[in-house]
Amino acid sequence: MLSTRTLESMLEAIAHRGPDGQGTCSFPCVSTGQQVFLGHRRLAIIDPEGAHQPMCDADAGLALTFNGEIYNFRELREELSSLGYIIKRDSDTEVLLRAYQHWGSDVVRHLRGMFAFAMWDARNERLFLARDRFGEKPLYLYEDGSGLYFASEIKALLRIPGITASVNLQAVWEYLSYRYVPGPKTLFSGIRKLMPGTVAIWERGKLKEERYWSAPDRSLRPFQQPQPDAIENFLSRLDQAVKLQMVSDVPFGAFLSGGLDSSTIVALMSRHNSTVKTFSVGFGEDSYSELGYAAEVAQHFGTEHHELVVTDRDLVDKLPRLVSFRDAPVAEPSDIPIYMLACEAARSVKMVLTGEGSDEILGGYPKHIVERFAQGYQVLPGYVRHRLIEPLAHALPYQFRRIKTAVTNLNIEDWRERYVRWFGALNPSERDRLSVLRMNGTTVGDAPPFDADPQNSPLRRMLYFDQSSWLPDNLLERGDRMTMAASIEARVPFLDHELAAFASSLPDHYRVRGMRSKWILREAGKQLLPERILTRPKVGFRVPVNRWFRGEMREYLLDHLQGGSSITRAYFDPQALDRVLAEHLDGRQNHEKLLWALLNLEIWHRQYARA
């Protein structure tokens, strides 16, 4: 059974998510004889002086704890007020409580925002849990014979007596394939994610989950005629999303890489605010640094600009701490500069807008271009593809890594396996050779996020996978943890669900046209950005770990994967693992993604699973 003392301990574990205050409340559940506890840590963005949580209304029999922002709360406030509801504050929390009071379980369909919330409905003795459509905000669940427990981060659940940090080996097996743990699993046995676009209703001791929304590219779209005003419509919708997400009662800014996505966000922010604060990160190695591009955009729009440089020492020093913040392996090296950027931003703002999600909504990765050639490429005889083209591609130097990746993945005939491989560390045969774990021969299965309409175009099917797996379970999880670790909030206008629905309604060539990705954004960007930014190559927050693993981080890597204190070495064939290490360190192959995944898996075990 949960106690007030345990609840206080859980809130202490996530104090970084809400340094501006905390609150608790409890209620009896007569039908089951159980007690309902709600707790909240507050990061005050809207109505900082009021809107304390949990927000309770004894007359309505409702109590709410809520993480996130409802961007259309003022529109909803007007609608609810016209229906007779009295709303006293300019607060999205109070509007959410009244919205549930009016619409009940259908409330989520009226919300435009990012959110994870729990509503105790005393009159119906019902606990209503909900997570936003794309999974921008996290919600974790644990059930046992004594009840249901939930929290924004796993570390809070681990404060509950009886919940132990035991390893889910099936999730480890899948981590080796994806480089992150696909939902609803986590690396902890018994702890799972509430999936994006899903509500969970606990009533009289029983829990049921219902999916209320799916990413729009899941459904088949009939052929549509070109829309001559599509670019203007897209830009107008994106501008509206940016304007809505700029609503804040505290200082805010933007993460700026100098690339197309973040530069477009900054350009639109500048329309609505004369002084925008921007924050950029780079590295000592010029070929990996985007600071010059970011500075050019900042100067163009007259922003108050801040720069930060990251070194390999930052990686070594901060990586274990960030694994603790994420409660999971740090899937991407870029988590670390994002965290450091968030810490820098936290000195002057409490909220930032980012360009995250554009690639997954608009088709921004090289794979979105290459995937269209898969069917034609596989018409070639197998011996030509596997015995001639693939060996030649593998022999190419590292600078041709995109060609090597494309050839390797185009040879995978099962499209479900191929979608995982584009970002994955290991294919099934590689995983079998490296790992001694055997999970009953489990491979990538025909399950979500592989449930897109089979008649969809390859682009739509791939985008749906990205939107329902890669995005929520990796990129958005990263964005939430790394920014909340610094006690600031990140908002992502490209993931406005109405904007995503519009993009999905267009024919494919509005997103990927010829060899150009994100075509409609590039066309819209001509009205906003300098030509140099529109045509520059995509880099992103790329960290030079390939180089660092062979140099400054070499001993750190070897200690974790070969040292006597290595825990995860028992998961692998030692000869196979040592061969991978040798190939990378000698410069024969680049295994940076795999080695990064294995290093982080080891760090996670050292922190959570020593037993």
Side-chain angles (χ1 to χ4, degrees), residues 87-358:
I87 301 175
K88 300 176 180 179
R89 306 194 66 91
D90 190 31
S91 158
D92 60 341
T93 305
E94 186 177 0
V95 167
L96 178 55
L97 188 144
R98 297 297 168 220
Y100 177 87
Q101 186 178 0
H102 182 69
W103 286 298
S105 298
D106 281 340
V107 63
V108 288
R109 304 182 191 279
H110 296 265
L111 305 179
R112 190 173 182 179
M114 60 176 186
F115 52 83
F117 68 86
M119 184 81 71
W120 173 242
D121 182 346
R123 291 178 179 173
N124 296 299
E125 293 205 327
R126 174 191 300 142
L127 180 69
F128 183 79
L129 302 167
R131 191 174 179 206
D132 64 64
R133 293 170 176 82
F134 280 110
E136 294 175 59
K137 286 298 173 184
L139 192 56
Y140 293 92
L141 307 176
Y142 180 89
E143 288 183 272
D144 63 14
S146 65
L148 168 70
Y149 308 91
F150 60 90
S152 293
E153 295 187 16
I154 292 172
K155 59 178 61 65
L157 295 175
L158 296 178
R159 296 289 182 96
I160 300 172
I163 298 183
T164 58
S166 57
V167 182
N168 180 349
L169 289 179
Q170 178 68 56
V172 172
W173 184 247
E174 293 185 12
Y175 172 80
L176 295 176
S177 177
Y178 287 72
R179 293 192 297 116
Y180 59 91
V181 179
K185 294 186 183 73
T186 72
L187 282 175
F188 297 89
S189 293
I191 298 176
R192 71 182 190 277
K193 308 169 189 177
L194 182 65
M195 296 295 280
T198 301
V199 299
I201 302 170
W202 183 89
E203 201 166 6
R204 292 176 174 79
K206 302 292 184 182
L207 182 71
K208 64 176 181 179
E209 297 181 24
E210 298 176 355
R211 188 176 183 177
Y212 68 88
W213 186 87
S214 295
D217 283 317
R218 181 188 186 201
S219 303
L220 179 66
R221 295 283 179 182
F223 176 78
Q224 296 183 353
Q225 294 295 325
Q227 301 182 23
D229 57 350
I231 296 169
E232 289 300 327
N233 274 340
F234 171 81
L235 186 57
S236 174
R237 291 166 187 268
L238 179 58
D239 182 61
Q240 182 191 40
V242 169
K243 183 179 180 180
L244 278 173
Q245 297 192 25
M246 288 174 68
V247 173
S248 171
D249 295 326
V250 295
F252 59 88
F255 284 172
L256 176 62
S257 70
L260 175 63
D261 306 333
S262 63
S263 298
T264 300
I265 297 299
V266 168
L268 293 173
M269 290 176 74
S270 299
R271 286 181 169 184
H272 306 293
N273 191 297
S274 59
T275 305
V276 175
K277 295 182 178 182
T278 51
F279 304 88
S280 300
V281 65
F283 309 96
E285 293 88 340
D286 289 341
S287 60
Y288 288 86
S289 184
E290 297 187 292
L291 288 177
Y293 290 111
E296 184 176 338
V297 174
Q299 182 177 15
H300 184 80
F301 292 105
T303 71
E304 182 183 314
H305 192 53
H306 306 258
E307 293 184 348
L308 185 70
V309 175
V310 177
T311 68
D312 63 289
R313 194 69 247 168
D314 295 313
L315 235 67
V316 173
D317 292 343
K318 293 181 171 56
L319 187 52
R321 188 171 181 221
L322 297 193
V323 170
S324 294
F325 277 126
R326 189 158 177 173
D327 295 321
V330 171
E332 303 294 327
S334 53
D335 287 26
I336 293 149
I338 289 173
Y339 167 70
M340 294 181 66
L341 196 60
C343 290
E344 173 66 22
R347 297 169 62 183
S348 57
V349 302
K350 293 185 73 171
M351 182 271 283
V352 292
L353 270 61
T354 81
E356 199 77 90
S358 170

Side-chain angles (χ1 to χ4, degrees), residues 471-493:
L471 191 58
D473 293 324
N474 186 17
L475 298 189
L476 293 178
E477 186 175 303
R478 168 189 74 183
D480 174 81
R481 295 315 181 282
M482 296 305 102
T483 53
M484 295 301 280
S487 300
I488 69 170
E489 178 179 272
R491 300 180 180 179
V492 281

